């Protein structure tokens, strides 16, 4: 009996060893086949695999090491692919749960790989998908912030919603520089040179809307995207893969809007969006590219709390005599007010109380007490409020962000000017924020009769923030203009021109008055001046913009300069305008000049 038992045990062990050897041999053969297939088909060079890893050229634009399995994954796609497969077989590095979209693509692309993967449950991933339950995607565009240079281009992020008719219950997928920096100049400098980490994040949509609509007082445009459920699921999975990673944030190109294009490309592989931007990716340009690719199915406009207040103040309130006392001195409603004006005063104060909470940092307890008290007063007037604010021009209908201009003037000279960005006082406001002007790197060439072509002017940075004042809001108007230009006797100089003052106006135009200063740095000396600048701009006539500007400067060397300009811009088509200018300059060789030109707008 013992001999038979020993023989039986031996046969069982032999069988197990044989089976193990067979499976091991098959596994080796399968692994060899997988490796052979990858090398033969050069899977690591597949365009979609490159997209999944955010590759441009010879490296990934993602800079954090946790986005890669291989230490050299940022620079070596082949090594990254093989180490990913090895990790899937061994169940190490949590590749299955950390990079579900990458794994799904590998399973579909490489034959027999599924049999080699060590599968296990991904609880956090499943909870993430269940919590989002995304069924609709909207591209959200908070427009420019007039008093913030870093926000004058606007911003974009994605809204992920489960119910189309309940957007405030949805989530926002955002990409932004990770920083608590309060100094605008420091933020701008670091942002230009990649001094911050850019990270993706997901948070409630109403929180983002509150930030832009109420805190930063920016209008918001929402563009519905026509992605199907499969594409939305892919986008959601890739957002998961990016959640703990970062890329160096660059203000001009690798910014909020550019980063979102990667998500859209990966959700719909036929798209090639990021390749369209080499030097700059302005939010408005990315939205137009999305529209050009047929992704937008509809749009919606949300006005800011500030716009609502200005509408009530300028359009709803007839008797404004008591508004300052009521808002700033907290006096009770004046009995001389009409029934409708009392309602408008209350509506204004409700919005203004919210504004103080977000803008001035009113303490929560004080805010709640004041807010509920005003709501209680408003409830005593049994008449609903209606704010019939006109929807502005859709930003999709605006001119291109880059501009090339060709002028001929009565000094018998020709000027050619080109700038990559963005919008200045001569451009029509359609789709842009009135009074918010910013230019970068404008380059101008001039050809005078019997002279060679020469550089006439280079604008490094020019910002003009004409924010109108009224009875309640009194923002500072400011400008800065820096760059190279010709000064007296055509001498080369570097100019710095800051100014500060006030603007008054409304929807169709504004007036401004500024304290104007200049510093010209020449090769042999410097010239400084102080003076005044006044002007007016009107957009009252459709497709026509008119403006005048007068400047007086008293220089430290004792001489004075008076400059006057009148201009008109006439839109011919969306991206082509006729420009007419009259200029008078005391320091010019020919004081009176008329200029005639064409301005062509485009997206480079």
């Amino acid at each position: 009996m013992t001999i038979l038992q020993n023989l039986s045990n031996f046969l069982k062990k032999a069988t197990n060893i044989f089976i193990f050897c067979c499976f091991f041999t098959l596994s080796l053969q399968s692994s060899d086949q997988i490796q052979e297939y990858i090398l033969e088909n050069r899977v690591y060079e597949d365009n979609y695999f490159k997209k999944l890893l955010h590759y441009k050229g010879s490296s990934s634009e993602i800079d954090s090491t946790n986005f890669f399995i291989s230490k050299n994954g940022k620079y070596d796609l082949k090594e990254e692919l093989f180490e990913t497969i090895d990790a899937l077989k061994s169940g190490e590095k949590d590749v299955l749960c950390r990079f579900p979209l990458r794994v799904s693509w590998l399973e579909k692309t490489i034959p027999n790989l599924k049999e080699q993967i060590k599968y296990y449950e991904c609880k956090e991933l499943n909870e993430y998908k269940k919590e989002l339950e995304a069924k609709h995607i909207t591209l959200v565009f908070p427009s420019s912030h007039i008093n913030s240079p870093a926000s004058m281009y606007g911003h974009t992020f994605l809204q992920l919603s489960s119910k189309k008719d309940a957007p405030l219950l949805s989530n926002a997928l955002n990409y932004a520089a990770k920083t608590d920096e309060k100094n605008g100049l420091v933020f701008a400098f670091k942002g230009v040179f990649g001094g911050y980490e850019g990270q993706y994040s997901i948070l409630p949509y109403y929180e983002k809307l509150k930030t832009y609509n109420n805190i930063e007082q920016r209008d918001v445009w929402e563009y519905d995207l026509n992605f199907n459920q499969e594409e939305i699921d892919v986008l959601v999975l890739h957002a998961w893969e990016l959640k703990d990673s970062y890329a160096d944030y660059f203000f001009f190109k690798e910014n909020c809007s550019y980063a979102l294009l990667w998500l859209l490309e990966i959700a719909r592989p036929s798209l090639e969006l990021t390749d369209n931007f080499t030097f700059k990716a302005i939010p408005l340009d990315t939205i137009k590219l999305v529209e050009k690719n047929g992704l937008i199915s509809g749009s919606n406009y949300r006005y800011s709390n500030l716009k609502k207040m200005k509408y009530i103040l300028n359009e709803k309130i007839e008797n404004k005599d008591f508004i300052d006392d009521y808002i700033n001195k907290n006096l009770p409603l004046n009995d001389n007010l009409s029934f409708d004006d009392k309602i408008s005063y209350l509506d204004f104060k409700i919005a203004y109380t919210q504004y103080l909470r977000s803008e001035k940092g009113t303490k929560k307890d004080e805010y709640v007490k004041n807010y509920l008290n005003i709501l209680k007063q408003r409830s005593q007037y049994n008449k609903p409020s209606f704010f019939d604010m006109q929807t502005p021009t859709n930003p999709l209908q605006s001119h291109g962000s880059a501009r090339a201009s060709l002028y001929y003037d009565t000094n018998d000279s020709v000027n050619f000017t080109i700038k990559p960005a963005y919008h200045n006082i001569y451009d029509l406001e359609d789709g842009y924020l009135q009074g918010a002007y910013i230019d970068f790197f404008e380059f101008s060439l001039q050809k005078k009769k019997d002279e060679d072509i020469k550089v006439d002017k280079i604008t490094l940075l020019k910002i003009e923030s004409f924010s109108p004042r009224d009875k309640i809001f009194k923002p500072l108007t400011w400008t800065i203009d820096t760059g190279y230009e010709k000064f007296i006797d055509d001498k080369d100089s570097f100019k710095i021109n800051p100014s500060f003052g006030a603007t008054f106006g409304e929807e169709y135009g504004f007036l401004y008055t500024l304290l104007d200063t200049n510093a010209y740095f020449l090769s042999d000396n410097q010239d400084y001046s102080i003076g005044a600048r006044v002007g007016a701009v009107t957009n009252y006539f459709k497709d026509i913009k008119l403006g005048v500007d007068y400047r007086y400067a008293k220089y430290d060397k004792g001489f004075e300069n008076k400059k006057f300009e009148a201009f008109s811009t006439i839109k011919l088509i969306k991206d082509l305008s006729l420009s007419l200018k009259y200029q008078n300059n005391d320091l010019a060789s020919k004081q009176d000049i008329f200029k005639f030109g064409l301005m062509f707008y485009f997206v480079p």
Side-chain angles (χ1 to χ4, degrees):
M1 192 69 178
T2 305
I3 296 173
L4 291 174
Q5 285 179 341
N6 290 337
L7 181 60
S8 176
N9 290 335
F10 173 76
L11 290 173
K12 286 180 181 180
K13 288 180 181 180
T15 302
N16 290 335
I17 292 171
F18 176 75
I19 293 172
F20 172 77
C21 291
C22 288
F23 275 111
F24 181 73
T25 304
L26 288 172
S27 178
L28 288 176
Q29 289 177 346
S30 180
S31 295
D32 290 341
Q33 289 173 355
I34 289 173
Q35 184 174 5
E36 184 179 331
Y37 180 87
I38 291 172
L39 293 173
E40 184 178 334
N41 292 276
R42 305 180 75 86
V43 176
Y44 44 85
E45 293 182 355
D46 185 275
N47 187 50
Y48 193 67
F49 185 61
K50 290 180 179 179
K51 286 185 177 183
L52 287 172
L53 291 165
H54 292 223
Y55 255 68
K56 286 293 177 189
S58 58
S59 66
S60 172
E61 291 182 344
I62 301 295
D63 295 292
S64 57
T65 56
N66 65 353
F67 189 69
F68 307 99
I69 309 305
S70 165
K71 290 182 179 180
N72 298 317
K74 180 176 171 64
Y75 305 101
D76 193 329
L77 282 165
K78 184 178 179 180
E79 184 176 315
E80 176 69 12
L81 178 57
F82 279 115
E83 291 204 21
T84 299
I85 291 173
D86 289 342
L88 284 172
K89 291 178 181 179
S90 64
E92 298 175 349
K93 301 183 180 180
D94 197 28
V95 176
L96 192 69
C97 298
R98 181 70 181 84
F99 300 106
L101 185 59
R102 205 179 299 182
V103 173
S104 175
W105 179 79
L106 289 172
E107 289 175 337
K108 295 174 184 176
T109 305
I110 302 174
N112 303 318
L113 177 61
K114 276 188 177 184
E115 289 76 10
Q116 298 289 307
I117 295 176
K118 185 176 182 179
Y119 290 97
Y120 46 88
E121 188 178 4
C122 300
K123 290 184 178 180
E124 288 186 23
L125 174 60
N126 292 333
E127 290 173 3
Y128 162 81
K129 291 190 291 184
K130 185 177 179 181
E131 183 178 339
L132 284 186
E133 199 182 355
K135 295 180 179 175
H136 307 280
I137 293 183
T138 300
L139 179 60
V140 184
F141 175 52
S143 59
S144 305
H145 186 351
I146 193 168
N147 276 323
S148 172
S151 301
M152 275 189 167
Y153 287 138
H155 178 62
T156 58
F157 61 94
L158 294 177
Q159 175 199 27
L160 308 175
S161 58
S162 58
K163 295 181 180 179
K164 197 170 182 64
D165 56 351
L168 295 182
L169 301 179
S170 58
N171 291 284
L173 175 53
N174 187 57
Y175 180 85
K178 184 182 179 182
T179 176
D180 295 322
E181 180 60 62
K182 304 299 182 184
N183 187 306
L185 291 176
V186 173
F187 176 81
F189 179 83
K190 287 189 175 181
V192 168
F193 295 103
Y196 295 115
E197 293 178 0
Q199 291 187 327
Y200 293 87
S201 62
I202 296 178
L203 64 162
Y205 180 59
Y206 71 85
E207 289 287 349
K208 292 297 292 181
L209 201 59
K210 183 174 69 173
T211 297
Y212 293 113
N213 255 174
N214 296 341
I215 297 178
E216 295 187 3
Q217 309 300 331
R218 294 158 74 171
D219 293 346
V220 171
W221 284 88
E222 299 169 331
Y223 298 101
D224 295 328
L225 303 182
N226 56 13
F227 282 64
N228 60 39
Q229 189 60 56
E230 183 181 353
E231 292 168 333
I232 294 172
D233 291 342
V234 167
L235 188 147
V236 167
L237 284 180
H238 193 57
W240 167 268
E241 295 181 330
L242 291 161
K243 66 182 179 68
D244 296 321
S245 303
Y246 70 84
D248 293 337
Y249 183 94
F250 291 91
F251 180 71
F252 286 113
K253 183 192 171 187
E254 293 179 40
N255 53 29
C256 61
S257 298
Y258 177 83
L260 294 184
L261 297 180
W262 277 112
L263 293 166
L264 302 184
E265 277 192 22
I266 288 166
R268 186 173 293 179
S270 60
L271 295 173
E272 297 292 342
L273 303 175
T274 54
D275 286 343
N276 289 271
F277 301 97
T278 52
F279 170 69
K280 65 183 179 76
I282 290 175
L284 191 51
D285 290 345
T286 64
I287 296 171
K288 290 180 177 179
L289 179 64
V290 169
E291 183 198 33
K292 184 179 178 181
N293 280 267
L295 304 181
I296 295 177
S297 59
S299 62
N300 178 55
Y301 168 70
R302 292 180 183 271
Y303 53 79
S304 67
N305 192 43
L306 180 63
K307 180 163 285 189
K308 176 182 175 180
M309 287 188 285
K310 286 184 173 292
Y311 174 80
I312 295 172
L313 187 63
N314 298 322
E315 304 296 332
K316 301 282 283 185
I317 298 176
E318 292 185 3
N319 186 346
K320 299 179 178 62
D321 294 342
F322 309 104
I323 189 69
D324 184 60
D325 289 340
Y326 178 65
I327 297 299
N328 294 320
K329 299 178 183 178
N330 288 318
L331 295 180
L333 285 170
N334 193 286
D335 290 336
N336 293 324
L337 291 171
S338 67
F339 181 82
D340 286 341
D341 268 357
K342 287 180 179 179
I343 290 176
S344 295
Y345 268 56
L346 286 165
D347 287 341
F348 185 90
K349 194 159 188 176
I350 290 170
Y352 189 72
T353 303
Q354 294 173 316
Y355 168 81
L356 289 179
R357 167 68 174 160
S358 58
E359 190 76 9
K360 306 297 182 181
T362 305
K363 291 182 179 179
K364 185 177 181 179
D365 292 345
E366 181 183 351
Y367 162 73
V368 172
K369 179 182 176 182
N370 293 338
Y371 189 67
L372 292 177
N373 181 50
I374 302 167
L375 288 178
K376 183 178 179 180
Q377 294 179 53
R378 177 65 181 86
S379 68
Q380 297 172 9
Y381 294 83
N382 189 23
K383 183 179 180 180
S385 298
F386 181 64
F387 307 111
D388 187 22
M389 281 180 281
Q390 184 178 357
T391 301
T393 302
N394 194 315
L396 291 174
Q397 304 305 315
S398 64
H399 64 73
S401 63
R403 189 185 76 190
S405 307
L406 186 64
Y407 282 94
Y408 172 79
D409 64 44
T410 52
N411 197 26
D412 205 15
S413 67
V414 176
N415 278 75
F416 173 76
T417 302
I418 190 165
K419 63 172 184 176
Y422 166 63
H423 178 71
N424 65 24
I425 199 169
Y426 301 111
D427 301 322
L428 287 164
E429 310 288 17
D430 291 347
Y432 289 86
L433 180 62
Q434 177 175 270
Y437 307 119
I438 181 167
D439 280 340
F440 277 105
F441 308 129
E442 185 176 58
F443 184 78
S444 181
L445 297 173
Q446 185 180 67
K447 174 68 172 72
K448 290 184 178 180
K449 187 177 181 181
D450 300 326
E451 293 184 11
D452 294 332
I453 296 174
K454 61 182 180 181
V455 176
D456 180 54
K457 186 177 180 180
I458 301 173
T459 299
L460 297 180
L461 171 65
K462 183 176 182 180
I463 302 175
E464 295 181 309
S465 177
F466 297 106
S467 186
R469 299 161 69 92
D470 52 42
K471 283 183 172 290
I472 303 298
F473 302 101
K474 305 186 187 310
L476 176 71
T477 288
W478 59 275
T479 74
I480 181 71
D481 184 4
T482 64
Y484 160 85
E485 67 176 51
K486 300 290 186 181
F487 195 43
I488 302 174
D489 299 327
D490 275 352
K491 290 183 178 179
D492 297 330
S493 71
F494 180 79
K495 178 185 78 171
I496 301 176
N497 170 215
S499 62
F500 306 91
T503 298
F504 307 89
E506 39 108 66
E507 182 181 357
Y508 295 109
F510 55 89
L511 307 169
Y512 55 87
T513 176
L514 306 168
L515 174 67
D516 198 38
T517 62
N518 285 284
Y520 286 91
F521 299 92
L522 296 87
S523 59
D524 53 352
N525 71 300
Q526 298 85 41
D527 289 316
Y528 304 97
S529 76
I530 188 169
R533 177 185 176 189
V534 295
V537 173
T538 178
N539 304 285
Y540 182 79
F541 305 99
K542 181 176 174 57
D543 297 336
I544 298 176
K545 187 175 189 178
L546 302 172
V548 292
D549 185 89
Y550 174 78
R551 305 186 191 207
Y552 169 79
K554 175 74 173 180
Y555 284 85
D556 60 325
K557 301 291 195 301
F559 62 91
E560 300 177 345
N561 184 29
K562 299 172 185 177
K563 293 195 293 186
F564 174 79
E565 179 182 78
F567 73 86
S568 174
T569 302
I570 304 168
K571 183 167 73 172
L572 303 177
I573 55 177
K574 187 179 79 169
D575 286 321
L576 183 65
S577 293
L578 174 66
S579 177
L580 307 174
K581 296 180 182 180
Y582 165 73
Q583 296 175 334
N584 181 286
N585 186 350
D586 286 352
L587 299 182
S589 56
K590 186 175 181 180
Q591 292 186 7
D592 294 290
I593 295 177
F594 288 92
K595 290 187 173 184
F596 312 88
L598 288 173
M599 299 191 297
F600 170 67
Y601 303 90
F602 60 99
V603 177

